[in-house]
Amino acid sequence: MHGATSLYEGEITEAWARPRSGWRRRRAAMLLVELDDSGRSGLTAKSEVEGELARAGLAYGGPVVALWSRGFCLYLCHAADGALSAVRFVDGHGEVHLAPASVQGGTVRLQSGRSCDTTHSLNIREPGETLQLVIDVAEAGRGFAYAATFLARRRPVSRWSMWRAAASRFGGLGGRVADVMACCEGVQPQPEERRLAA
C-alpha cells in the first residue's frame, strides 16, 4: 500500500438532498501519494499532519498516505507500529476534519467526523489493485445531505497517464497540472509516451 505513487481511475456516483435532490455518475481519478516533508504537489507536509495528530492526542510516527482527487483530499495516518490511527480529510469547502479510525475486515472506518452540525461517515477498503471509497454526510435535524461512492482500479503510473488524469475533460484530479506531474518525478516513460515524443 505504501511507497510509490499510485493512480486509480474509475467512476464516482454522487447523490445529494439539497437544494434539490439529485444524483450523477462521472469518470474520476484519484492519486495515492506517501507524504514526506517536501510538501510536494501542494499536499500538506507530513510533519504538519503529525503536529495535528499530536495536538489531538492521536498516535503518529508511521506512514501518512494521501488520496487526492478534485475537491477532496484524504490522509490515512499510521502509528509508529504501522497500525492505522486516524483519518484526516479536507472536504470540498476546504474544511479540515481529523478523527480516530479503525480497520475492520480490511475496511477503514471513520469513528467520528463531526464538524459543527454536520457528521461525516467514511468507509474505505485498504488501497490495493482496486479502491473503494464511500462517504456519507448528514446534517443535524435534517438527516441525509450527500453521499458519494468511488470505485476504481489501479493503473500504471507514467507521465502520460498522470497528464490524462489531471485533465479536466477526464473529470480527474483537478488543480494545477504541474502539481500532479510533480508526483511523477523519476517515473520512466512508457511505450505510448515514447511514440508520442517520436
Side-chain angles (χ1 to χ4, degrees), residues 3-147:
T5 298
S6 295
L7 174 65
Y8 292 89
E9 293 179 353
E11 287 187 335
I12 184 169
T13 302
E14 299 173 287
W16 54 89
R18 287 173 282 281
R20 292 177 58 186
S21 62
W23 72 279
R24 67 175 175 175
R25 179 181 295 132
R26 60 182 173 86
R27 296 175 71 189
M30 189 169 282
L31 192 65
L32 183 149
V33 183
E34 185 167 336
L35 294 192
D36 53 28
D37 284 330
S38 67
R40 65 177 176 168
S41 309
L43 296 171
T44 305
K46 181 181 179 182
S47 57
E48 185 176 337
V49 174
E50 290 187 332
E52 294 178 10
L53 293 168
R55 289 190 291 276
L58 298 168
Y60 63 93
V64 177
V65 181
L67 283 164
W68 172 33
S69 188
R70 178 188 302 275
F72 177 81
C73 194
L74 172 83
Y75 299 82
L76 300 177
C77 309
H78 298 77
D81 62 2
L84 183 74
S85 62
V87 171
R88 177 191 190 270
F89 68 99
V90 184
D91 63 24
H93 302 291
E95 187 173 359
V96 177
H97 306 264
L98 179 66
S102 62
V103 180
Q104 300 172 11
T107 299
V108 178
R109 301 185 188 281
L110 189 68
Q111 294 177 342
S112 173
R114 180 170 294 277
S115 171
C116 299
D117 60 351
T118 302
T119 301
H120 295 78
S121 172
L122 182 147
N123 292 325
I124 177 173
R125 294 290 297 177
E126 287 268 17
E129 287 304 310
T130 60
L131 177 62
Q132 179 178 333
L133 172 64
V134 180
I135 301 172
D136 292 295
V137 181
E139 297 176 346
R142 302 179 74 180
F144 167 76
Y146 172 82

